């Protein structure tokens, strides 16, 4: 190919043209999202029921003079505000990470002069140069290339680099038109490269076709910005429940003030009684418990190598029904490894700890010789690793050989060759590798032998392996090569340049090619090697007398323990779906290897593109493997699953996963190999990139889910007798009031720690990972659970009222009755705490189950009760009269009876259904 670097095609834009395009189109970066103002965020927070409840509860405490408790609750107002600000900042960070990745340095040609500029200054139409190891600064079309390969795994999820071709005149119109119709990343022999991808081999001259938000990576940024995060099911349920309770509580409070004032003629005490009832009915523990559970839950999950970026994901994790996982870097290690070899007669499966037979050494020997010395390409790295593992200190290592010529990969010949000379014998050795069909062609194979090798190739490819062929040729020092070549038949790089100026530009453009040819040579030998390259060696690698050496099968290895993690997910009723940019045959083989269900069928990206949302929602019910998928389609898959009522967890590590991570109910990013974009968009981050850590996180999420239900059940149960005791005496003029605000505050000292500490620290149920997650349409804490909890509370209320009535009937004074009733209420409270620690174990099993927080909370409550019954100051404060030990014991026994029916119920009812549904 004759190139004129002085032509307009290669001279690039002028500085004036570039500046004008920047003025019109903007810089080559993603636009920053406009941050919401403090007032906007504050207004959104202020509309939430939990926020209103915190403010109302804190204000009530301040009104009754309990400044400390009031200020503590009001502090949570700022916690809620802080969480909202954090979420806003997280979105900005994700977009900034995209912006940084999309703007590396770039070598451009403007006015025929090379310049290195910031990637953000590249504009459409710019001519720029890429070499091995460069990050692509903008979407571009390839004008000229030598052996160009790019790693586009950040965009496609495919770990194998793709081969690039040039944009020639024959394809000009068609490809330009195709580009307008959204050509996607991935696939060999396409003349496009994409912003953010990495050049792993070769070099090229390119023209920028899209910058900033118009690039493929920019489209992901736009999709990420547009994704709306939905409130979690628990948050929506608690908001509705709190709203209803708040309305009920306030209504009852106003009614109580009116009734008290009318029946007793005392407005002030009526107001205090109303506040007492409001405090008893308004479960201000809800927001406290949610905050504490999620905060401590995040800490516990972090001990399992999972970082919680979004606290609400902790409760959602326990109810996940589908886990969508990217293959590359999540299920696999995101690196290639030599898995199988074929030497022309038999196969060998490579095992790291196993032996490596001598008949297969030559395959690796010539595979290494035909690769770069310090390769970027993942497959060449894998071959080099085989050399390090098995061939060191053998005759198959040739560090003293000099590489004198390289024949690059081309569209017409999908193989590359490198020529070496033995400095002692002067013998020339040629090593070639490439597509098996190309190697067969180089070796001039035919007939039965070619059919035999082709069959071996198909067998390896059918198991999901990437297959390379390897060949060799030997030229003795004084032998003819193959045929006589004149200098005219040889092709020199210098022939392509019409002037020294052009040659200087080309020398920089293709420095990698030049250095590849000469890097192994001393200065003394350079002149000789150049003459050999131009005159003695053929122009076409096809003219060597190659002999077939063997086949190399490579794969992206499965991560350790992935099979076990998938099995545990299946046992837990969690469906695992693999979404990958890889080919279907590879994806299905991986699915079979890790044990996915329905591993014989898949849906490709092309099929996905033509499906409607309704059609996909139907097909996705039976398909667990998606192959050749692009970022927008991953988002479509997640949305279809959510439309089917699934709670979706999505794992991923690349830029391509960010929108789906944000759209999923739970986004799980990889911490070590994941991108900043993925981590900033996710709810959870796996710090060790271990898929099995997800199972541990789900186990912990279910434990938190269960314990949170127990805590909420306890809150409902204990508020029933408190509210009942506050309300009942109001309607009977002659009955003394039992509870005043001071008693409620004392009860809160038990209730809050019990909910937030005892239940949070409770051990997981034995069948936590052998039961399916709850149904999506089943409320987190539905009416059946509310009725069950309130029934427990009613039993406690009945016992306490019975003690109250017996005390009055037997002639006890008002203060003594209050002391007896309050002691019974505390005993009932403790009994409810213990019984609700497990909804499957009986009380005796619960008592022997360790939970260090129980002794501190229960012990502290008992000590404080004793003090309130003995210390004169506290007796006056609580309006008690001293009662004897026997009376305290009777009250304790009476309070303990409140859980008898629930214990019987657990034995005969819940045990039958637990194996199917758990406590849900």
């Amino acid at each position: 190919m004759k190139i004129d670097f002085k032509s307009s095609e290669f001279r690039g834009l002028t500085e004036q043209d570039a500046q004008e395009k920047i003025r019109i189109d903007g810089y080559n970066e993603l636009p920053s999202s406009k941050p919401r103002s403090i007032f906007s965020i504050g207004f959104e927070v202020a509309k939430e029921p939990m926020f209103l409840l915190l403010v109302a509860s804190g204000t009530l405490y301040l009104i009754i003079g309990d400044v400390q408790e009031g200020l503590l609750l009001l502090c949570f107002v700022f916690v809620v505000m802080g969480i909202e600000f954090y979420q806003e900042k997280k979105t900005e960070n994700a977009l900034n990470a995209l912006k940084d990745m999309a703007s590396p340095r770039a070598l451009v040609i403007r006015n025929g002069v090379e310049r290195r500029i910031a990637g953000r200054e590249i504009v459409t139409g710019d001519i720029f140069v890429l070499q091995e190891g460069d990050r692509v600064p903008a979407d571009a079309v390839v004008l000229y290339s030598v052996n160009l390969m790019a790693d586009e795994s950040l965009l496609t999820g495919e770990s194998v680099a793709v081969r690039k071709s040039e944009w020639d005149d024959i394809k000009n119109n068609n490809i330009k038109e195709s580009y307008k119709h959204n050509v996607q990343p991935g696939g060999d022999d396409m003349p496009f490269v994409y912003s953010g991808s990495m050049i792993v081999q070769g070099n090229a001259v390119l023209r920028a076709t899209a910058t900033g938000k118009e690039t493929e990576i920019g489209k992901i940024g736009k999709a990420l910005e547009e994704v709306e995060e939905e409130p979690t099911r628990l948050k929506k349920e608690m908001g509705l429940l709190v709203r209803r309770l708040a309305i009920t509580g306030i209504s009852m409070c106003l009614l109580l003030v009116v009734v008290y004032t009318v029946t007793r003629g005392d407005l002030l005490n009526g107001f205090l009684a109303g506040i007492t009832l409001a405090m008893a009915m308004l479960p201000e523990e809800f927001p406290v418990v949610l905050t504490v559970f999620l905060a401590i839950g995040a800490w516990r999950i972090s001990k399992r190598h999972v970082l919680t970026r979004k606290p609400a994901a902790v409760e959602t994790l326990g109810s996940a029904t589908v886990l969508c996982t990217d293959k590359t870097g999540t299920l696999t290690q995101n690196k290639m490894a030599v898995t199988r070899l074929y030497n022309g007669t038999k196969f060998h499966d490579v095992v790291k700890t196993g032996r490596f037979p001598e008949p297969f050494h030559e395959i690796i020997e010539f595979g290494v010789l035909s690769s770069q010395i310090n390769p970027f390409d993942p497959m060449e790295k894998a071959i080099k690793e085989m050399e390090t593992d098995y061939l060191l200190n053998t005759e198959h290592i040739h560090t003293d050989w000099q590489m004198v010529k390289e024949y690059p990969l081309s569209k017409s010949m999908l193989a590359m060759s490198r020529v070496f000379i033995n400095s002692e014998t002067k013998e020339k050795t040629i090593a070639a590798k490439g597509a098996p069909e190309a190697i067969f062609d180089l070796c001039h194979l035919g007939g039965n032998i070619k059919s035999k090798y082709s069959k071996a190739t198909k067998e390896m490819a059918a198991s999901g392996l990437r297959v390379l062929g390897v060949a060799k040729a030997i030229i003795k020092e004084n032998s003819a090569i193959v045929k006589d070549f004149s200098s005219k038949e040889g092709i020199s790089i210098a022939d392509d340049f019409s002037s020294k100026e052009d040659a200087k530009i080309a020398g920089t453009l293709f420095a990698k090619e030049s250095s590849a040819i000469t890097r192994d040579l001393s200065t003394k030998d350079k002149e000789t090697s150049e003459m050999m390259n131009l005159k003695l060696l053929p122009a076409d690698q096809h003219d060597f007398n190659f002999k077939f050496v063997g086949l190399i099968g490579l794969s992206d290895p499965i991560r350790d323990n992935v099979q076990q993690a998938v099995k545990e997910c299946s046992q837990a009723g969690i469906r695992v779906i693999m979404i990958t940019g890889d080919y279907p045959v590879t994806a299905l083989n991986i699915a079979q290897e890790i044990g996915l269900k329905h591993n014989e069928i898949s849906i490709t990206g092309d099929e996905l593109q033509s499906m409607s949302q309704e059609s996909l929602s139907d097909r996705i019910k039976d398909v667990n493997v998606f192959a050749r998928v692009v970022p927008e389609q991953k988002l479509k898959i997640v949305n279809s699953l959510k439309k089917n009522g699934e709670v979706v967890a999505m794992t991923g590590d690349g830029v391509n996963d960010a929108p789906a991570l944000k759209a999923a109910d739970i986004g799980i990013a990889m911490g070590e190999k994941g991108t900043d974009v993925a981590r900033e968009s996710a709810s959870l981050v796996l710090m060790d990139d271990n898929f099995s850590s997800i199972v541990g996180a789900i186990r912990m999420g279910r434990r938190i889910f269960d314990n949170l239900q127990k805590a909420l059940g306890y809150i409902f149960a204990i508020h029933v007798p408190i509210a009942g005791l506050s309300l009942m005496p109001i309607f009977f003029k002659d009955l003394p009031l039992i509870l005043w605000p001071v008693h409620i505050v004392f009860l809160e000292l038990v209730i809050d720690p019990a909910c937030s500490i005892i239940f949070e620290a409770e051990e997981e149920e034995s069948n936590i990972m052998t039961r399916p997650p709850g149904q999506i349409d089943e409320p987190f804490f539905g009416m059946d659970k509310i009725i069950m909890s309130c029934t427990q509370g009613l039993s406690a209320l009945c016992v306490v009222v019975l003690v109250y009535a017996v005390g009055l009937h037997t002639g006890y004074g008002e203060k003594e009755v209050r002391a007896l009733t309050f002691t019974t209420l505390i005993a009932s409270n403790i009994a409810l705490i213990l019984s609700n620690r497990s909804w499957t174990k009986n009380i005796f099993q619960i008592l022997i189950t360790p939970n260090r927080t129980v002794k501190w909370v229960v012990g502290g409550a008992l000590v404080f009760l004793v003090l309130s019954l003995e210390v004169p100051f506290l007796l006056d404060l609580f309006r008690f009269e001293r009662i004897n030990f026997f009376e305290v014991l009777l009250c304790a026994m009476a309070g303990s009876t409140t859980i008898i029916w629930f214990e019987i119920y657990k034995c005969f009812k819940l045990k039958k259904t637990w194996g199917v549904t758990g406590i849900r």
Side-chain angles (χ1 to χ4, degrees):
M1 178 180 176
K2 188 79 172 178
I3 298 179
D4 182 8
F5 282 93
K6 286 185 176 180
S7 69
S8 58
E9 183 180 10
F10 288 96
R11 292 193 64 81
L13 302 174
T14 65
E15 286 297 331
Q16 291 77 12
D17 291 338
Q19 292 301 319
E20 180 64 17
K21 288 198 173 190
I22 290 176
R23 187 186 67 81
I24 296 173
D25 301 330
Y27 284 103
N28 178 32
E29 58 187 11
L30 294 177
S32 300
S33 57
K34 186 177 180 181
R36 288 193 298 167
S37 67
I38 295 177
F39 300 104
S40 174
I41 297 175
F43 180 72
E44 289 295 324
V45 175
K47 294 191 298 182
E48 295 188 12
M50 286 189 185
F51 177 88
L52 297 174
L53 179 60
L54 281 171
V55 173
S57 300
T59 303
L60 283 173
Y61 275 110
L62 292 177
I63 290 174
I64 65 172
D66 191 341
V67 178
Q68 184 176 1
E69 188 78 9
L71 292 178
L72 181 62
L73 285 174
L74 290 175
C75 283
F76 279 97
V77 172
F78 298 100
V79 172
V80 174
M81 287 277 193
I83 292 173
E84 290 294 325
F85 283 119
Y86 163 78
Q87 285 298 106
E88 192 71 16
K89 187 64 178 177
K90 189 181 78 169
T91 301
E92 291 180 22
N93 289 341
L95 291 171
N96 289 336
L98 270 172
K99 193 188 327 180
D100 293 340
M101 180 174 291
S103 187
R105 302 287 292 176
L107 180 63
V108 299
I109 301 174
R110 288 182 179 170
N111 284 330
V113 179
E114 299 173 39
R115 287 188 55 200
R116 191 164 292 278
I117 63 174
R120 68 191 293 267
E121 296 176 6
I122 277 192
V123 297
T124 55
D126 255 331
I127 302 296
F128 63 96
V129 180
L130 291 177
Q131 297 178 350
E132 188 175 293
D134 287 344
R135 178 130 355 232
V136 181
D139 286 6
V141 61
V142 180
L143 302 179
Y144 185 80
S145 67
V146 176
N147 209 22
L148 186 66
M149 299 187 75
D151 177 0
E152 297 178 349
S153 61
L154 284 177
L155 293 166
T156 65
E158 170 54 55
S159 57
V160 177
V162 291
R163 185 175 58 253
K164 296 297 179 181
S165 64
E166 296 171 2
W167 185 26
D168 55 47
D169 293 332
I170 297 175
K171 294 183 178 180
N172 185 14
N173 294 331
N174 292 335
I175 291 184
K176 188 173 183 181
E177 192 64 27
S178 297
Y179 186 80
K180 292 179 181 178
H181 288 84
N182 195 25
V183 173
Q184 300 290 352
D188 287 324
D189 295 323
M190 295 300 295
F192 304 112
V193 295
Y194 299 93
S195 178
S197 58
M198 177 74 75
I199 301 301
V200 298
Q201 190 169 298
N203 41 68
V205 183
L206 310 96
R207 179 188 295 125
T209 55
T211 60
K213 63 183 180 181
E214 299 304 320
T215 62
E216 287 299 314
I217 201 172
K219 292 174 184 176
I220 295 174
K222 288 193 290 185
L224 184 62
E225 191 176 18
E226 292 166 2
V227 171
E228 292 290 335
E229 291 188 84
E230 298 180 4
T232 65
R233 181 172 55 141
L234 178 60
K235 186 174 182 181
K236 289 187 284 189
E237 274 191 48
M238 290 300 101
L240 179 61
L241 185 60
V242 164
R243 190 183 302 114
R244 290 174 177 173
L245 290 173
I247 293 172
T248 303
I250 293 172
S251 301
M252 294 296 293
C253 174
L254 295 175
L255 177 63
L256 183 59
V257 172
V258 173
V259 171
Y260 191 98
T261 304
V262 171
T263 58
R264 306 197 182 196
D266 190 341
L267 179 61
L268 179 59
N269 281 328
F271 184 68
L272 290 174
I275 291 176
T276 302
L277 178 63
M279 292 174 60
M281 291 195 67
L282 292 177
E284 69 276 7
E285 298 91 353
F286 277 5
V288 175
V289 165
L290 285 175
T291 303
V292 170
F293 264 65
L294 298 184
I296 299 180
W299 171 74
R300 291 189 186 278
I301 289 178
S302 71
K303 295 174 70 175
R304 295 176 181 262
H305 309 292
V306 179
L307 174 66
T308 304
R309 294 190 54 83
K310 182 178 172 184
V314 175
E315 54 95 358
T316 312
L317 194 60
S319 56
T321 60
V322 175
L323 174 57
C324 294
T325 173
D326 189 34
K327 176 185 73 69
T328 305
T330 307
L331 295 173
T332 66
Q333 299 176 19
N334 196 22
K335 69 174 186 177
M336 301 303 290
V338 176
T339 305
R340 204 176 196 199
L341 299 171
Y342 176 72
N343 64 0
T345 58
K346 57 183 179 180
F347 291 97
H348 172 68
D349 293 319
V350 178
V351 181
K352 279 291 184 181
T353 56
R355 56 185 292 273
F356 186 44
E358 176 64 33
F360 296 91
H361 286 196
E362 192 177 47
I363 303 175
I364 300 303
E365 174 186 359
F366 284 91
V368 169
L369 287 173
S370 60
S371 302
Q372 299 292 328
I373 295 176
N374 297 303
F376 279 85
D377 183 78
M379 291 191 285
E380 291 190 349
K381 284 183 177 180
I383 297 171
K384 192 77 173 177
E385 187 176 335
M386 283 289 292
E387 177 193 52
T388 303
D389 291 342
Y390 297 108
L391 300 185
L392 290 181
N393 303 317
T394 69
E395 72 276 12
H396 300 287
I397 302 295
H398 307 289
T399 55
D400 58 330
W401 287 10
Q402 297 173 350
M403 201 272 284
V404 295
K405 184 172 177 63
E406 183 176 57
Y407 294 88
L409 202 75
S410 66
K411 287 181 290 184
S412 59
M413 177 55 66
L414 300 179
M416 61 179 296
S417 302
R418 306 180 87 209
V419 182
F420 293 84
I421 185 169
N422 187 322
S423 57
E424 295 182 359
T425 65
K426 305 302 180 183
E427 183 178 78
K428 289 177 279 294
T429 300
I430 301 91
K433 77 170 186 302
E437 295 79 8
I439 294 298
F440 299 160
D441 186 29
L442 285 178
C443 297
H444 307 287
L445 298 179
N448 293 334
I449 191 68
K450 182 177 180 180
S451 298
K452 176 184 176 183
Y453 294 164
S454 296
K455 183 179 178 181
T457 302
K458 291 177 181 177
E459 181 179 335
M460 296 173 75
S463 61
L465 301 180
R466 305 281 176 177
V467 185
L468 294 176
V470 179
K472 68 175 182 177
I474 307 295
I475 304 174
K476 300 299 181 182
E477 180 183 3
N478 297 317
S479 65
I481 296 174
V482 171
K483 55 185 178 180
D484 185 29
F485 294 93
S486 68
S487 59
K488 292 182 180 180
E489 291 174 305
I491 295 180
S492 167
I493 295 175
D495 291 337
D496 287 334
F497 311 120
S498 58
S499 70
K500 291 184 180 180
E501 183 181 351
D502 291 345
K504 182 180 179 182
I505 294 175
T508 303
L509 300 182
F510 307 113
K512 289 288 181 181
E513 182 179 19
S514 300
S515 63
I517 296 174
T518 60
R519 71 173 124 188
D520 295 328
L521 307 178
S522 63
T523 306
K524 181 180 179 181
D525 295 326
K526 282 185 179 179
E527 184 177 351
T528 303
S529 68
E530 288 173 1
M531 291 176 60
M532 183 185 302
N533 184 25
L534 297 176
K535 295 182 179 181
L536 299 182
L537 297 175
D540 190 343
Q541 57 185 319
H542 201 278
D543 295 315
F544 289 110
N545 187 22
F546 280 109
K547 292 184 178 180
F548 179 77
V549 175
L551 299 173
I552 300 176
L554 302 103
S555 66
D556 190 356
I558 298 296
R559 287 184 176 276
D560 295 336
N561 303 321
V562 165
Q563 292 94 334
Q564 180 61 29
V566 171
K567 182 179 179 181
E568 289 190 41
C569 285
S570 179
Q571 291 174 342
I574 301 169
R575 179 182 168 200
V576 179
I577 294 178
M578 182 172 68
I579 304 174
T580 177
D582 213 335
Y583 291 95
V585 63
T586 304
L588 290 174
N589 274 281
I590 294 291
Q592 292 170 9
E593 188 175 349
I594 65 176
L596 283 189
K597 295 181 179 179
H598 305 296
N599 54 36
E600 70 285 351
I601 56 175
S602 67
I603 293 177
T604 65
D606 290 339
E607 293 171 330
L608 199 62
Q609 191 69 29
S610 62
M611 287 185 187
S612 64
Q613 196 76 51
E614 292 73 21
S615 176
L616 178 59
S617 297
D618 183 60
R619 283 285 308 279
I620 206 171
K621 295 175 182 177
D622 301 312
V623 178
N624 291 333
V625 178
F626 291 82
R628 303 303 291 168
V629 170
V630 295
E632 292 82 358
Q633 294 170 335
K634 290 189 176 187
L635 189 58
K636 185 176 181 181
I637 292 170
V638 171
N639 289 335
S640 293
L641 288 167
K642 292 173 73 174
K643 186 177 180 181
N644 285 348
E646 305 283 3
V647 178
V648 183
M650 166 73 185
T651 69
D653 60 354
V655 174
N656 58 318
D657 298 315
L661 287 174
K662 188 174 181 181
D665 297 290
I666 311 142
I668 308 172
M670 298 295 146
E672 291 181 354
K673 294 185 178 179
T675 61
D676 288 341
V677 182
R679 287 192 290 266
E680 293 295 337
S681 301
S683 309
L684 304 173
V685 178
L686 294 181
M687 300 309 296
D688 59 355
D689 282 14
N690 192 337
F691 185 82
S692 61
S693 295
I694 299 174
V695 178
I698 290 175
R699 178 186 293 271
M700 183 60 67
R702 288 193 172 190
R703 169 185 164 177
I704 295 168
F705 194 97
D706 287 353
N707 290 342
L708 189 52
Q709 283 190 328
K710 296 172 187 176
L712 295 180
Y714 165 74
I715 292 174
F716 271 103
I718 195 58
H719 273 271
V720 170
I722 295 175
L725 292 174
S726 300
L727 181 62
M728 191 172 59
I730 302 300
F731 295 95
F732 301 95
K733 182 177 180 180
D734 297 330
L735 293 181
L737 290 177
I738 303 172
L739 299 180
W740 292 92
V742 66
H743 302 115
I744 303 298
V745 171
F746 176 79
L747 288 169
E748 295 295 335
L749 293 177
V750 177
I751 294 172
D752 282 345
C755 294
S756 58
I757 299 176
I758 290 180
F759 289 108
E760 193 286 324
E762 196 59 43
E763 289 185 356
E764 64 191 40
E765 300 287 352
S766 59
N767 64 344
I768 196 167
M769 289 299 287
T770 57
R771 67 173 192 252
Q775 297 296 319
I776 187 64
D777 56 351
E778 181 183 355
F780 175 79
F781 204 81
M783 188 55 63
D784 57 336
K785 298 182 182 67
I786 293 176
I787 293 174
M788 177 64 65
S789 299
C790 290
T791 304
Q792 293 185 68
L794 283 172
S795 66
L797 177 60
C798 290
V799 171
V800 173
V801 169
L802 180 61
V803 171
Y804 175 74
V806 170
L808 290 177
H809 183 71
T810 55
Y812 283 91
E814 176 183 332
K815 292 186 177 181
E816 291 175 306
V817 170
R818 184 176 291 114
L820 291 169
T821 305
F822 191 75
T823 302
T824 306
L825 180 59
I826 293 296
S828 299
N829 190 1
I830 293 173
L832 287 171
I833 291 173
L834 296 176
S835 183
N836 279 278
R837 282 179 57 196
S838 174
W839 286 19
T840 58
K841 298 175 182 177
N842 60 50
I843 190 64
F844 303 105
Q845 293 173 318
I846 292 174
L847 290 175
I848 62 175
T849 301
N851 186 334
R852 290 184 299 175
T853 59
V854 172
K855 61 183 179 182
W856 292 106
V857 175
V858 173
L862 292 175
V863 168
F864 204 89
L865 176 63
V866 171
L867 292 175
S868 66
L869 294 174
E870 295 295 331
V871 177
F873 168 74
L874 293 177
L875 283 170
D876 292 337
L877 180 64
F878 283 88
R879 305 184 189 189
F880 289 162
E881 190 73 43
R882 185 177 281 110
I883 56 177
N884 60 46
F885 176 76
F886 178 73
E887 291 167 334
V888 172
L889 187 60
L890 285 177
C891 292
M893 292 175 61
S896 300
T897 63
T898 60
I899 63 171
I900 292 177
W901 77 269
F902 185 59
E903 290 299 313
I904 296 174
Y905 177 84
K906 284 195 292 184
C907 290
F908 290 96
K909 177 68 175 177
L910 289 179
K911 208 144 199 175
K912 294 179 182 179
T913 60
W914 176 256
V916 179
T917 60
I919 68 171
R920 292 169 177 74

